[in-house]
Amino acid sequence: MFSCCLQTTQGSGLKKDNSEGHGGVWRQRVRSCLQRLWPFGRKETNLTKGSQSQEHTEQVEKKSAPKNLKKPCTESRISADMVEKLVNHLVPSLQGGDLFFVPAFLYTYQRFTTTQQVLDLLFKRYEYFRPYCEEDERVKKTICTFLDTWMDKKPEEFCQTSALSIVKQMKNYLIVHTPYSDLVLRVHMLLTHLEEQKATETEAKDEEDSDLGSHTSADPEH
């Protein structure tokens, strides 16, 4: 069985967050929002402490896994503006060494948005980069790190044929901005696998429909 967990790794063009002028105020709101959504948020300090913490994290992942991958849960209501702020904080949190934010986001975001919407917001936020800019190159690497982590932690969101459009979107973005990254190869292999799987499923369904049609036409009229 194919595994999508294969391991890998703006200046004038980079869109600035309009909320940056508020300093740490909105960041605290974002963090508090995730802590409310993720009941285990207060235990983030334990995430890096030994094997017991790893076991605890794995239990959290299982308990927090969404039951419906296509539609966000409606029990938690967050404004579109807050969702955008959460997505915009993903890269800065990784660059700042925050060990809580990304795990909390990945295990709660489907309560208030979808995989497609997160990618749309992320790729819109980092749509343009300056050539030969070290700062922007670091941002690109961080984006790859986040997407790698996402695919590792939540493979069910990328390894089904229903995720074909999402994987294609990722590949198109990466080819433009990080064409030589290991992640491009990983996503390309996953996309190839999903396309082959989709073709097989379509062929099987066509054969089934054909057999059903032949069987129906062969039945005598009553």
Side-chain angles (χ1 to χ4, degrees):
M1 182 181 294
F2 181 89
S3 173
C4 74
C5 296
L6 296 173
Q7 295 299 319
T8 64
T9 87
Q10 280 184 25
S12 59
L14 179 61
K15 296 184 177 181
K16 299 295 183 181
D17 190 345
N18 294 330
S19 302
E20 287 180 355
H22 296 290
V25 176
W26 75 266
R27 290 185 178 85
Q28 183 58 40
R29 288 183 57 198
V30 165
R31 190 179 181 89
S32 298
C33 179
L34 278 183
Q35 286 177 328
R36 290 197 303 271
L37 291 169
W38 194 33
F40 305 94
R42 295 180 179 177
K43 300 181 180 180
E44 70 269 23
T45 55
N46 294 329
L47 293 178
T48 60
K49 295 182 179 179
S51 59
Q52 291 182 351
S53 299
Q54 180 62 31
E55 294 177 358
H56 171 72
T57 302
E58 293 174 354
Q59 293 176 359
V60 170
E61 293 177 13
K62 294 179 181 179
K63 292 180 180 180
S64 303
K67 296 181 180 180
N68 190 330
L69 298 178
K70 295 183 179 180
K71 296 182 180 180
C73 179
T74 57
E75 65 182 20
S76 300
R77 299 181 179 276
I78 296 181
S79 67
D81 182 62
M82 178 56 71
V83 172
E84 184 174 359
K85 284 182 169 61
L86 289 169
V87 174
N88 286 351
H89 191 55
L90 289 169
V91 170
S93 71
L94 286 173
Q95 292 184 319
D98 188 337
L99 299 177
F100 163 75
F101 188 84
V102 167
F105 179 86
L106 290 179
Y107 301 132
T108 59
Y109 81 89
Q110 292 226 7
R111 299 184 186 183
F112 51 85
T113 187
T114 66
T115 302
Q116 184 68 69
Q117 290 169 344
V118 172
L119 284 178
D120 288 344
L121 289 170
L122 181 66
F123 293 162
K124 180 180 178 181
R125 170 70 176 86
Y126 298 103
E127 185 175 3
Y128 303 106
F129 295 95
R130 296 166 295 182
Y132 311 110
C133 174
E134 292 185 5
E135 179 184 355
D136 287 3
E137 290 302 316
R138 287 194 293 270
V139 170
K140 292 179 185 180
K141 291 180 181 179
T142 305
I143 292 173
C144 287
T145 297
F146 169 70
L147 294 176
D148 251 340
T149 301
W150 194 356
M151 294 174 70
D152 288 340
K153 297 298 184 183
K154 312 293 286 186
E156 69 277 6
E157 296 169 20
F158 301 95
C159 295
Q160 303 177 30
T161 54
S162 58
L164 257 172
S165 61
I166 290 174
V167 178
K168 286 181 180 178
Q169 181 183 12
M170 290 174 60
K171 180 182 176 181
N172 292 337
Y173 179 86
L174 293 169
I175 285 178
V176 172
H177 298 297
T178 60
Y180 304 109
S181 66
D182 292 338
L183 185 58
V184 170
L185 177 60
R186 179 182 185 182
V187 172
H188 172 73
M189 293 175 63
L190 174 59
L191 180 59
T192 299
H193 168 73
L194 292 178
E195 289 175 337
E196 292 174 351
Q197 183 176 336
K198 181 67 174 180
T200 301
E201 292 176 356
T202 301
E203 183 179 353
K205 187 177 186 305
D206 289 343
E207 291 180 357
E208 181 180 349
D209 292 343
S210 177
D211 292 342
L212 180 61
S214 299
H215 178 74
T216 302
S217 61
D219 286 342
E221 297 183 358
H222 295 284

